[in-house]
Amino acid sequence: VEILGHSQISITMAVYTHVISDTQREAISQMDRLLRRRLDREWPPP
């Protein structure tokens, strides 16, 4: 908080919480794409 120059943790959280959410959303999306690609290659089962 002090390094960023914010006077309160609530300001820091308000500014950066969306970044964490966006990062999580992107990670989930990438995992979904990877798993779907793998499923497409392995389907139908032998």
Side-chain angles (χ1 to χ4, degrees), residues 23-37:
T23 302
Q24 288 176 336
R25 193 174 297 113
E26 181 60 27
I28 291 168
S29 178
Q30 288 181 17
M31 288 299 298
D32 183 59
R33 283 194 300 271
L34 289 171
L35 293 172
R36 286 178 190 273
R37 191 178 312 150

